[in-house]
Amino acid sequence: MLKHLTFAAIGATIGALSLGNTAHAATFEVIASNLDNPRGLTIGANGSLYVTEAGRGGTGPCIPSPTNPTASVCYGATGALTRIEDGTVTRVVTGLPSLAAPDGSEATGAHDVAFDATGQPYVLIGLGSDPAVRSALGVPEFGQLLKINTLNGGSDWTAIANVSAFEQAENPDGGGIDSNPYSFVIQNNAAYVADAGANALLKVDLDNGDVDLASVFDSRLVTNPFGGSDIPMQSVPNAVASSSDSTLYVGELTGFPFPVDGARVYRVANGIPEIFAEGFTNIIDLDFDSNGNLYVLEYATNSILSGDLTGALIRLNPDGTRTTLLQEGLLAPTSFTFGDDGDIFIANRGIAAGQGEIIRFNSNDDSQSVPEPSSWLGLLAIASLGGFLKVTRR
């Protein structure tokens, strides 16, 4: 039986239909290109920008595709942690595990990166499947949090927490066994991991690797786009951020049917997810700026189901209104982070091998319009972000 939680709204719930959504013209520049499925972004201890590349898979062992049971994704040590510094792009960690389709799409691998207070880097490896498949792959790092030992271009890391094993042992949402750790934040000596497959937020002790449940996100009934009775939609929580008072916030991509305005941001208090804001579509990342404003990145602002992978970066203003800072030119964006003087870095075109890019956008510059989006990603609309296109579990 599925476990159910009550989503209690504490404070003002921010509804989509009652608010304005102001367009904000902007321009950006590409500072890195030709990346393989770029995902998580962060500023490192030295002020450099770091991005995880989920890789392009390879010719190693294969497992069924999480989005197409008649196809396969295959292993290759093609993932990387990449540094962007003074205009130079360097893969400072290579050989990270990757699963992908033969053309390098549907990649699952190095999904996120964060540094602790001492400057120690950690990388989160996704999975997008039942953790039992790891034995067939012979690659235990999938679904684990890695401590990176050196940033010199080699493959030196230590697996410190088997995140996906928690889903295998505990299955907190009571559905089918499925784990896809996607993003994390570090508070004190703990990593809080959003497992999109498990519909859970997990807490990892960075000293001993113990994994505990921080919160779980239930399915809810939504309109069936093909008619008939309402159908259950999974939450698919894949974005986590920490506010200035260390409160955790979680954004959901949502599962099938990926309704427009159907994604929520939750504030997690005492283990209970409370609705903080709603009316978003396919949230892929969120974070707070230095002034406490919440920014939300939408992966496909018109819904994954539309076949249009135009994304959007939205600021939730203190008065409850929303400003769309950037939309045109964003194609399947996968993460963002803040730089200095209004700079925002975004991983763009994040679901294809060799075509990913990092863009720099200044939120204070509203003098120009961004380029018109191209249509090259349309055919990847359904086969995107391995492990996220979740239907109902029985």
Side-chain angles (χ1 to χ4, degrees):
M1 175 180 290
L2 292 177
K3 300 176 182 177
H4 297 278
L5 290 177
T6 299
F7 294 150
I10 295 180
T13 297
I14 302 169
L17 297 180
S18 62
L19 299 177
N21 194 3
T22 307
H24 185 87
T27 186
F28 61 77
E29 64 173 321
V30 177
I31 62 169
S33 56
N34 303 316
L35 302 178
D36 292 337
N37 292 283
R39 298 294 162 81
L41 278 171
T42 195
I43 302 296
N46 59 357
S48 299
L49 181 65
Y50 289 82
V51 57
T52 53
E53 295 183 71
R56 55 173 67 220
T59 58
C62 303
I63 60 172
S65 163
T67 61
N68 181 359
T70 65
S72 295
V73 289
C74 300
Y75 166 74
T78 55
L81 176 61
T82 298
R83 182 178 62 218
I84 303 166
E85 183 178 33
D86 298 328
T88 300
V89 180
T90 307
R91 286 180 170 137
V92 294
V93 178
T94 56
L96 290 166
S98 173
L99 287 168
D103 64 355
S105 65
E106 291 192 75
T108 296
H111 281 169
D112 203 7
V113 55
F115 290 76
D116 68 13
T118 71
Q120 171 63 51
Y122 297 83
V123 168
L124 183 66
I125 307 296
L127 177 60
S129 189
D130 185 328
V133 304
R134 293 183 292 186
S135 61
L137 292 169
V139 185
E141 288 96 339
F142 284 110
Q144 298 214 44
L145 182 65
L146 309 183
K147 178 180 179 181
I148 304 302
N149 298 323
T150 57
L151 296 172
N152 60 7
S155 305
D156 187 4
W157 60 74
T158 303
I160 64 164
N162 193 340
V163 179
S164 291
F166 188 88
E167 164 72 356
Q168 194 169 26
E170 303 293 340
N171 189 17
D173 76 340
I177 304 296
D178 183 11
S179 176
N180 193 27
Y182 191 76
S183 69
F184 72 110
V185 295
I186 295 177
Q187 287 186 359
N188 299 320
N189 206 42
Y192 290 88
V193 178
D195 189 329
N199 291 309
L201 180 68
L202 305 175
K203 180 181 179 181
V204 175
D205 187 313
L206 295 180
D207 281 333
N208 57 29
D210 286 349
V211 181
D212 294 304
L213 182 66
S215 191
V216 66
F217 303 83
D218 276 334
S219 300
R220 61 184 186 271
L221 291 177
V222 296
T223 301
N224 187 336
F226 306 110
S229 302
D230 289 351
I231 58 175
M233 178 186 73
Q234 293 189 55
S235 174
V236 193
N238 64 337
V240 57
S242 178
S243 65
S244 59
D245 65 358
S246 298
T247 301
L248 294 168
Y249 291 76
V250 174
E252 58 183 9
L253 185 87
T254 72
F256 179 86
F258 316 107
V260 173
D261 297 336
R264 297 168 171 173
V265 176
Y266 295 99
R267 176 171 46 206
V268 178
N270 300 317
I272 304 298
E274 303 156 345
I275 300 171
F276 175 74
E278 55 188 352
F280 296 100
T281 306
N282 301 146
I283 296 172
I284 194 68
D285 200 7
L286 72 166
D287 204 356
F288 291 88
D289 67 12
S290 58
N291 295 317
N293 300 311
L294 178 64
Y295 289 62
V296 176
L297 183 64
E298 295 181 331
Y299 171 71
T301 196
N302 294 316
S303 168
I304 290 172
L305 208 59
S306 73
D308 176 7
L309 294 188
T310 300
L313 180 65
I314 300 166
R315 183 180 64 222
L316 196 59
N317 302 312
D319 62 0
T321 61
R322 303 177 190 193
T323 301
T324 297
L325 299 172
L326 186 60
Q327 183 169 358
E328 290 183 284
L330 282 186
L331 293 166
T334 46
S335 69
F336 74 98
T337 196
F338 296 105
D340 296 327
D341 302 322
D343 281 344
I344 300 175
F345 300 97
I346 304 174
N348 199 33
R349 303 174 183 254
I351 60 167
Q355 300 180 64
E357 62 187 20
I358 306 302
I359 63 176
R360 176 168 53 203
F361 152 67
N362 193 287
S363 59
N364 298 321
D365 180 7
D366 59 358
S367 60
Q368 301 182 54
S369 297
V370 299
E372 290 293 323
S374 62
S375 60
W376 71 276
L377 280 171
L379 57 86
L380 290 174
I382 300 302
S384 63
L385 292 178
F388 280 179
L389 304 194
K390 299 162 69 67
V391 194
T392 58
R393 296 179 182 174
R394 292 183 174 87

